[in-house]
Amino acid sequence: MGYGGARGGGKSWAMRRKSVLLALRYPGIRVLILRRTYPELTETYVKPMRGELAELMRAKQVRYRETEKEFVYGNGSLLMLGYCDNEADLGRYQGAEYDVIFIDEATQWPYEWFLILTACLRGVNDFPKRMYLTCNPGGVGHTWVKRLFIDRDYEKGERPEEYRFIQALVYDNRALMEKSPEYLHQLENLPEKLRKGWLEGEWDLFDGQYFAEFRREKHVIQPFALPSRWRRYVTIDYGLDMLAAYWIAVDEEGKGYVYRELYEGRDNGKGADGRGHIVSAAARRVRECMPPGERIEVWLAPPDLWNRNRDSGRSTAELFAEAGMVLTKTSNDRIGGWRAVREWLADKVDEHGQNVPRLRIFATCTNLIRTLPAVQFDEKKPEDVATEPHELTHAPDALRGFCVYRSSPTEPEPPEKMRGVEVFYDARLQSSADEILGLGEDVYVV
């Protein structure tokens, strides 16, 4: 169960109250509450709970053990307080059994630590096995918390019915609004990114976010029928870890629409035995996603696809060409490419005089929508996108190829069809040639 999404929603109070109620309701239950650091644990749980449980402690129904940071209930329940500042601290909880675990500020926790703790939810008893997490946008765990509770984008082995999220804003905390109205004023006067995250619970904006220009309400649109006259591009980022391919249409005014997504590889358990697609299978999957007769102006791919295999002496680009996709090499300039993406995300004036984004994304392209606002600045090279978590980079890398290609002043216009002598007169031969060469129309000799 996830709870929160903004500052001032009463998350820590709710966790303290819920843990106490569980300890009273289920005699003998084992409950663990975790924060990242010891000072946070002391200020948020140890001190407040000693005050909140003072009456029960005076009545000898609860006893606090300072060394262990535990509240021992007369009915046999045990409420343990802990912190996990590093992997060594995490080792204290591995192997132990708990019936309920609370993780406060879960977006400050790495995903691997969360997985380790879920394995501690066990025990031969009839007590409920649950995990409660509070969270705000931002932090090292932003991406995985958002994926599980906001986007509800589940991987193999994850069951959607096991995840619930309750939104809590400062406006829901009546006690805080009455006693500390100035706190709301403080949130309202934060810089835009922090204000939208901490006050409004906006998960697509957070500190360290590279593409702060991205707005789901502006850049994501519902699919519509594309005019056949619009130029269409396919941009690819390929590896066994992920085949990320995007189809993008550009209208007469130069506005782009990302209208189709293919996102399969080892990172999401797709491909042969979940290990990704070899080149021939990748090319086949791209073709399978396309309706018959769809014309593509240019197939775009990064320069590393032209590297020759040490054993075969052939490149990935050559293998794609054999499948009817003659790739065009995009720029290897990462920083220039990211600047181009930002230009495409920026507004431009349309034919009606309205400011609209130059690039918009169909709502069906879920992985691009998920990862584009999630990538962060590289701490060592601030103008670049961080390459970790690596799974987040595939879709933005593919988009970068298109954006830098279409933003280049030297970008060649698609060649005009050369008139000449028609070679194939038999309709069956013409269809076969189209399929192999990927032309979609008559084949000519120049």
Side-chain angles (χ1 to χ4, degrees), residues 30 46 50 57 62-72 77-81:
R30 291 171 57 85
V46 175
R50 293 187 71 172
M57 293 170 70
V62 175
R63 178 166 51 94
Y64 177 67
R65 298 198 293 203
E66 173 65 36
T67 302
E68 295 83 359
K69 299 292 184 295
E70 296 174 345
F71 290 95
V72 182
S77 296
L78 186 60
L79 202 164
M80 298 159 275
L81 307 178

Side-chain angles (χ1 to χ4, degrees), residues 388-439:
E388 296 294 338
H390 187 60
E391 188 274 328
L392 295 178
T393 65
H394 304 303
D397 276 338
L399 179 64
R400 172 167 57 90
F402 164 80
C403 292
V404 74
Y405 177 80
R406 281 286 309 192
S407 299
S408 171
T410 60
E411 175 203 342
E413 289 294 321
E416 292 293 328
K417 185 185 299 180
M418 301 297 291
R419 297 189 179 276
V421 178
E422 187 173 349
V423 177
F424 299 102
Y425 299 100
D426 185 281
R428 290 169 297 175
L429 289 175
Q430 180 66 61
S431 174
S432 175
D434 289 349
E435 181 177 346
I436 295 172
L437 298 176
L439 297 177

Side-chain angles (χ1 to χ4, degrees), residues 7 11-13 15-16 32-46 48-49 80-86 89-90 92-93 101-110 113 117 132 134-136:
R7 294 293 181 97
K11 299 183 298 296
S12 297
W13 178 89
M15 290 185 73
R16 294 196 303 267
L32 174 65
I33 300 178
L34 291 170
R35 282 291 303 242
R36 274 301 300 267
T37 69
Y38 180 73
E40 291 171 343
L41 180 72
T42 300
E43 294 301 318
T44 311
Y45 286 95
V46 175
M49 292 190 78
M80 298 159 275
L81 307 178
Y83 65 95
C84 197
D85 200 11
N86 51 54
D89 294 333
L90 184 66
R92 293 199 299 262
Y93 309 105
I101 298 177
F102 292 83
I103 301 179
D104 201 2
E105 300 293 354
T107 43
Q108 304 302 319
W109 292 67
W113 294 12
L117 289 169
Y132 296 92
T134 69
C135 47
N136 291 324

Side-chain angles (χ1 to χ4, degrees), residues 8-243:
K11 299 183 298 296
S12 297
W13 178 89
M15 290 185 73
R16 294 196 303 267
R17 186 65 59 181
K18 181 67 175 180
S19 64
V20 170
L21 291 174
L22 286 169
L24 293 172
R25 171 67 177 81
Y26 299 100
I29 197 171
R30 291 171 57 85
V31 178
L32 174 65
I33 300 178
L34 291 170
R35 282 291 303 242
R36 274 301 300 267
T37 69
Y38 180 73
E40 291 171 343
L41 180 72
T42 300
E43 294 301 318
T44 311
Y45 286 95
V46 175
K47 291 180 180 179
M49 292 190 78
R50 293 187 71 172
E52 292 165 357
L53 294 174
E55 185 174 341
L56 290 176
M57 293 170 70
R58 286 192 294 269
K60 306 298 183 182
Q61 295 182 34
V62 175
R63 178 166 51 94
Y64 177 67
R65 298 198 293 203
E66 173 65 36
T67 302
E68 295 83 359
K69 299 292 184 295
E70 296 174 345
F71 290 95
V72 182
Y73 285 69
N75 64 2
S77 296
L78 186 60
L79 202 164
M80 298 159 275
L81 307 178
Y83 65 95
C84 197
D85 200 11
N86 51 54
E87 291 190 11
D89 294 333
L90 184 66
R92 293 199 299 262
Y93 309 105
Q94 287 182 269
E97 294 183 358
Y98 306 98
D99 300 304
V100 179
I101 298 177
F102 292 83
I103 301 179
D104 201 2
E105 300 293 354
T107 43
Q108 304 302 319
W109 292 67
Y111 183 54
E112 293 75 15
W113 294 12
F114 165 71
L115 292 178
I116 289 172
L117 289 169
T118 60
C120 298
L121 283 173
R122 62 184 189 274
V124 185
N125 55 53
D126 295 327
F127 299 137
K129 301 297 181 289
R130 300 172 185 164
M131 182 173 282
Y132 296 92
L133 302 90
T134 69
C135 47
N136 291 324
V140 67
H142 175 99
T143 300
W144 69 262
V145 173
K146 181 174 180 285
R147 179 179 69 82
L148 291 174
F149 294 101
I150 308 301
D151 297 336
R152 297 186 63 79
D153 178 23
Y154 299 109
E155 298 175 351
K156 185 177 181 180
E158 295 173 344
R159 293 183 286 190
E161 65 273 14
E162 293 184 348
Y163 297 88
R164 295 289 185 274
F165 182 73
I166 300 174
Q167 177 78 50
L169 302 177
V170 65
Y171 307 106
D172 301 316
N173 191 342
R174 296 180 181 177
L176 180 63
M177 293 287 285
E178 291 175 3
K179 295 183 179 180
S180 300
E182 67 278 2
Y183 184 67
L184 174 61
H185 181 70
Q186 293 171 8
L187 292 177
E188 291 173 337
N189 285 278
L190 288 170
E192 183 183 13
K193 283 201 299 181
L194 288 179
R195 175 174 53 79
K196 284 186 171 293
W198 290 1
L199 176 63
E200 302 172 17
E202 173 58 70
W203 283 85
D204 287 332
L205 288 170
F206 59 95
D207 195 32
Q209 179 185 26
Y210 194 90
F211 295 111
E213 301 88 348
F214 180 84
R215 298 287 191 281
R216 188 178 295 256
E217 66 274 13
K218 286 173 52 178
H219 291 95
V220 179
I221 59 175
Q222 292 303 312
F224 62 89
L226 299 170
S228 60
R229 65 182 180 275
W230 288 4
R231 292 177 177 173
R232 304 189 185 200
Y233 301 77
V234 176
T235 182
I236 296 172
D237 183 62
Y238 170 74
L240 286 174
D241 54 351
M242 187 58 63
L243 165 64

